[in-house]
Amino acid sequence: AQTVTQSQPEMSVQEAETVTLSCTYDTSENNYYLFWYKQPPSRQMILVIRQEAYKQQNATENRFSVNFQKAAKSFSLKISDSQLGDTAMYFCAFAAYNQGGKLIFGQGTELSVKP
Amino acid sequence: DADVTQTPRNRITKTGKRIMLECSQTKGHDRMYWYRQDPGLGLRLIYYSFDVKDINKGEISDGYSVSRQAQAKFSLSLESAIPNQTALYFCATSGGLSRNNEQFFGPGTRLTVL
């Protein structure tokens, strides 16, 4: 069975600074996706970034980038130039190719961006 | 209009009552999912469906049942609600691997069982 672990329940960062959220996972699968989802106070789940395990290049989306270390089973999210609107709960999630797209979520990290 | 809708958005009910949460989507996806969110636990899968005739249990299906009335509709029922089913419930849809396995979430239903 796959597991996803986010070891930082809460983090804070000053506006305009950079913050990194950690995520580790455990799986015996070789083909899978990894995701970071953002949940602002509105509670809507919003996809931030996606990484396919076969791709060595780290995914980037504007101010958001990941550090994907497949051998170490690590998938951290870096937010650059943090903005007040980045304040949210962030979830790391895993989906194996051969398991119907089911998402396995981590426990979440609550990020506060301070002015 | 939202692609994935859930009704109701908030519901308070009493122990022992039957309750249904409804999900509709206009994305044309075959795959639909129900998740439950609890503080400190993230989201956990309750049930999922690949089409009207294909329904599967997830990680925490006990105490829940589902119905896939059509490609666009997937309902979650609590036959006899209990207080530890108080949680935030999300419906999600996906186009599968051909669409990068991205899941699109509804706005959530906050359920409180007294």
Side-chain angles (χ1 to χ4, degrees), chain A residues 5-6 11-12 19 35 53 65 67 72 77-78 89-90 95-96 98 115:
Chain A
T5 302
Q6 294 178 249
M11 294 190 71
S12 65
V19 64
F35 305 86
S65 62
N67 183 3
L77 175 70
K78 184 172 80 170
M89 182 73 82
Y90 287 82
N98 64 356

Side-chain angles (χ1 to χ4, degrees), chain A residues 14-48:
Chain A
Q14 292 296 130
E15 196 174 7
E17 293 188 347
T18 296
V19 64
T20 299
L21 308 183
S22 300
C23 173
T24 58
Y25 59 96
D26 189 23
T27 185
S28 58
E29 300 287 338
N30 196 45
N31 297 314
Y32 51 86
Y33 290 95
L34 293 163
F35 305 86
W36 278 98
Y37 279 88
K38 170 184 178 180
Q39 186 181 46
S42 66
R43 79 191 190 198
Q44 180 69 48
M45 294 289 287
I46 301 166
L47 179 65
V48 174

Side-chain angles (χ1 to χ4, degrees), chain A residues 61-72:
Chain A
E61 288 287 344
N62 301 313
R63 296 182 296 107
F64 299 87
S65 62
V66 298
N67 183 3
F68 173 48
Q69 301 290 329
K70 189 172 183 179

Side-chain angles (χ1 to χ4, degrees), chain B residues 64-91:
Chain B
Y64 302 94
S65 63
V66 291
S67 174
R68 185 83 181 265
Q69 301 94 324
Q71 185 204 35
K73 296 184 182 295
F74 192 36
S75 300
L76 176 72
S77 293
L78 287 67
E79 297 302 326
S80 180
I82 56 177
N84 75 2
Q85 291 177 315
T86 293
L88 183 57
Y89 290 85
F90 284 100
C91 174

Side-chain angles (χ1 to χ4, degrees), chain A residues 33 35 37 39 43-45 47 50 52 91 95 97 100-103 105-107, chain B residues 9 31 33 35 37 40 42-43 45 48 50 90 97 100-103 105 107-108:
Chain A
Y33 290 95
F35 305 86
Y37 279 88
Q39 186 181 46
R43 79 191 190 198
Q44 180 69 48
M45 294 289 287
L47 179 65
R50 169 182 49 235
E52 293 186 68
F91 292 100
Y97 275 30
K102 298 180 295 181
L103 288 173
F105 285 88
Q107 303 89 333
Chain B
R9 294 294 308 278
R31 300 183 179 197
Y33 306 82
Y35 293 92
Q37 182 180 356
L43 283 74
L45 182 65
Y48 62 105
F50 289 166
F90 284 100
L97 291 177
N100 290 318
N101 208 56
E102 180 176 351
Q103 291 197 14
F105 286 80

